[in-house]
Amino acid sequence: NPTTGHITIEFPPELKNVGLFDMMGQKVMEIDLSNAKSQYDLDIGRLANGVYILTAKGYTNIKIIKN
C-alpha cells in the first residue's frame, strides 16, 4: 500500500538495523533499531515520491511506495 510519509516497522528483538534503498540501489536511510522495542515509526516524508526497498540481513525485502 502506498504511503505519504509514515510507516511502522514491526521486528524481532534480534534485528538491530535496516536499510532503505531507492530503485537505483543507493542507500537513502540506515535505521538503528537497537534502542527500539518491537516496532519503529519511520518517517519517509522528506523522501521524493517513488519506490523504495526496506532491507534487513536475513529477512525478506519489503517494497514501499511513497506518493
Side-chain angles (χ1 to χ4, degrees):
N1 291 336
T3 182
T4 57
H6 286 271
I7 59 171
T8 300
I9 303 169
E10 294 183 7
F11 58 91
E14 64 272 9
L15 187 61
K16 300 301 179 202
N17 63 22
V18 295
L20 187 66
F21 294 82
D22 65 18
M23 293 308 292
M24 300 297 289
Q26 293 188 307
K27 186 182 287 187
V28 294
M29 281 186 181
E30 178 78 25
I31 301 103
D32 180 9
L33 302 173
S34 59
N35 292 325
K37 301 265 186 212
S38 62
Q39 62 182 44
Y40 182 85
D41 184 42
L42 177 60
D43 180 5
I44 59 171
R46 66 177 179 80
L47 297 177
N49 291 351
V51 178
Y52 296 89
I53 304 295
L54 187 67
T55 65
K57 188 175 181 180
Y59 294 89
T60 303
N61 294 342
I62 299 170
K63 181 169 74 172
I64 298 168
I65 301 171
K66 192 216 177 239
N67 289 335

